[in-house]
Amino acid sequence: MQTEATLQAIRYQRGVLSILDQLKLPDETVYISINTADDAWKAIHTMSIRGAPIIAVCGVLSVAVELHNSKSKFDSISSVTQFVTDQLNYLVTARPTAVNMTDAAKTIINFLTPLHIKQKNLTIYIDELLDFMEQFLQRDLIGNRLIGQYGAATICRNNSNKKKLNILTHCNTGSLATVGFGTALGVVRQLAANNALQIVYFTETRPYNQGSRLTAYELVHDRIPHTMICDSMAGLLMRTQPIHAVVVGADRITANGDTANKIGTYQLAVLAKHHQIPFYVAAPTTSIDLTKRSGDEIIIEHRPSSEMTTIKGINLAPEGVQVWNPAFDITPASLITGIITEHGVFQPDELEEKLLGLQQSLTSPL
Ligand code: MRU
């Protein structure tokens, strides 16, 4: 069994994809081969891979691998288009709350349609498609670096009278939840790199312990100064320690700025408001869903009760106990100070306008 710590959630080269099994961390470092979209669906559904951005990248690359390795079975451009569209739409159903896989599927299907009409050569069509799907890897990484820079700069600017800052974060939003660097944890990494981080507090993130298993693993690996707290300690922490900002990730941000993120985020936002601590959401624009007006329209995933009642197969509660296990909650825009994206930091109420402006400038001819 390989035990060396690694922060590489995904390994890819054309035709070969493997993912770090996050269910086995931090005890074991095991990579699982993903050969088909069905393999990816199962890995996403069981949370061997989790975190909104990496779910999308894993899904897209699984289709690329399956397409590349079964090239010979396609005899027409339309059969490839149909295959890719079906697999992407299937992957969207693996988990309902994060929007990134839906966004990736839309982006690829929009790319397919004009290419399908234009391209006459099947081999070139498949190659162009594989090239496009592979770009998701690089895009995620570049986006995360920018999120880190914008986030760190904003938080430092708003605390210009302090040399070092204390940050609180939740869940895992780092290299394991993305292709690398991370979103909210990317902001923390950037603050640490700028020598502006005193300490990052992070929650265990019950019930699935993405904090104690995964964020802890990343912070220890990168030697970033940290302190772990139970989710229930956040109130006392904010009351007794200087916390300069709370920074969390997002699974889906709606047009009005409401944000779905890991269960427990909402209570942190309420506490932050009470203690007058700025509360930031850090996410790529692929986590923004302008088709939904508010958080009321977001489907919250409910996970099996065993995720609450057991840890590593050991019972924590009596058999037969009834539980409620929503995996995400919604933080209303009114509690959010700023949304940190790869294009800058926006207030929730300007998000839609800014994003539409960006989309227009990216599609209009030069
Ligand atoms: O259930 P998970 O572990 O997939 O939930 C993850 C989160 O809620 C993260 O905060 C979010 O996906 C952003 S990851 C950059």
Side-chain angles (χ1 to χ4, degrees), residues 64-338:
V65 165
E66 192 171 356
L67 174 62
H68 178 267
N69 295 341
S70 58
K71 267 182 192 174
S72 55
K73 84 171 194 211
F74 297 101
D75 56 6
S76 66
I77 284 182
S78 58
S79 64
V80 171
T81 306
Q82 192 60 52
F83 169 79
V84 171
T85 305
D86 289 348
Q87 299 302 68
L88 290 170
N89 286 334
Y90 169 57
L91 282 157
V92 166
T93 66
R95 290 187 75 190
T97 304
V99 71
N100 307 57
M101 185 63 232
T102 308
D103 183 82
K106 268 191 206 155
T107 305
I108 295 167
I109 292 165
N110 285 343
F111 173 79
L112 278 174
T113 319
L115 186 65
H116 179 139
I117 296 163
K118 205 180 78 196
Q119 188 53 258
K120 301 277 178 272
N121 180 302
L122 179 60
T123 310
I124 301 175
Y125 181 68
I126 292 177
D127 278 346
E128 288 187 4
L129 200 44
L130 292 174
D131 287 345
F132 187 73
M133 292 200 274
E134 287 166 357
Q135 284 172 21
F136 279 73
L137 271 169
Q138 213 40 32
R139 262 193 239 163
D140 186 70
L141 199 54
I142 295 167
N144 288 342
R145 291 272 175 191
L146 291 167
I147 289 170
Q149 285 161 17
Y150 283 123
T154 300
I155 295 170
C156 284
R157 198 170 42 248
N158 295 341
N159 289 282
S160 53
N161 55 340
K162 292 171 199 92
K163 267 188 95 175
K164 293 221 177 189
L165 304 171
N166 295 335
I167 305 293
L168 171 64
T169 191
H170 185 56
C171 195
N172 174 262
T173 58
S175 296
L176 298 170
T178 61
V179 172
F181 206 65
T183 56
L185 208 59
V187 175
V188 170
R189 276 201 167 91
Q190 189 63 51
L191 286 168
N194 296 354
N195 206 21
L197 183 75
Q198 183 75 40
I199 202 158
V200 58
Y201 293 93
F202 66 98
T203 56
E204 282 183 301
T205 319
R206 282 285 292 148
Y208 220 44
N209 296 303
Q210 287 93 332
S212 59
R213 291 186 301 111
L214 308 175
T215 301
Y217 180 82
E218 293 201 29
L219 295 171
V220 169
H221 181 277
D222 279 11
R223 297 199 175 93
I224 293 176
H226 59 265
T227 297
M228 183 167 89
I229 60 166
C230 296
D231 301 22
S232 51
M233 297 170 185
L236 184 65
L237 179 80
M238 291 187 199
R239 198 179 167 95
T240 56
Q241 304 295 322
I243 301 294
H244 302 108
V246 179
V247 190
V248 299
D251 289 85
R252 191 183 294 249
I253 304 169
T254 56
N256 70 345
D258 289 354
T259 295
N261 191 47
K262 180 52 50 192
I263 189 76
T265 303
Y266 173 43
Q267 65 200 21
L268 292 180
V270 173
L271 280 169
K273 183 83 161 184
H274 181 75
H275 292 280
Q276 293 166 354
I277 298 170
F279 184 92
Y280 291 97
V281 170
T285 47
T286 50
S287 300
I288 301 171
D289 179 2
L290 295 185
T291 70
K292 306 246 179 299
R293 300 308 309 162
S294 82
D296 296 340
E297 295 172 44
I298 298 177
I299 297 170
I300 301 284
E301 176 185 10
H302 285 251
R303 305 272 316 165
S305 57
S306 57
E307 292 180 1
M308 270 175 80
T309 58
T310 62
I311 283 191
K312 295 181 181 169
I314 296 169
N315 282 335
L316 302 174
E319 213 145 289
V321 67
Q322 300 299 299
V323 302
W324 184 57
N325 186 17
F328 300 95
D329 58 27
I330 310 291
T331 299
S334 58
L335 299 179
I336 299 171
T337 311

Side-chain angles (χ1 to χ4, degrees), residues 3-18:
T3 52
E4 191 192 322
T6 171
L7 293 184
Q8 216 184 345
I10 208 156
R11 287 179 176 165
Y12 176 81
Q13 63 187 62
R14 192 164 281 191
V16 189
L17 170 66
S18 61

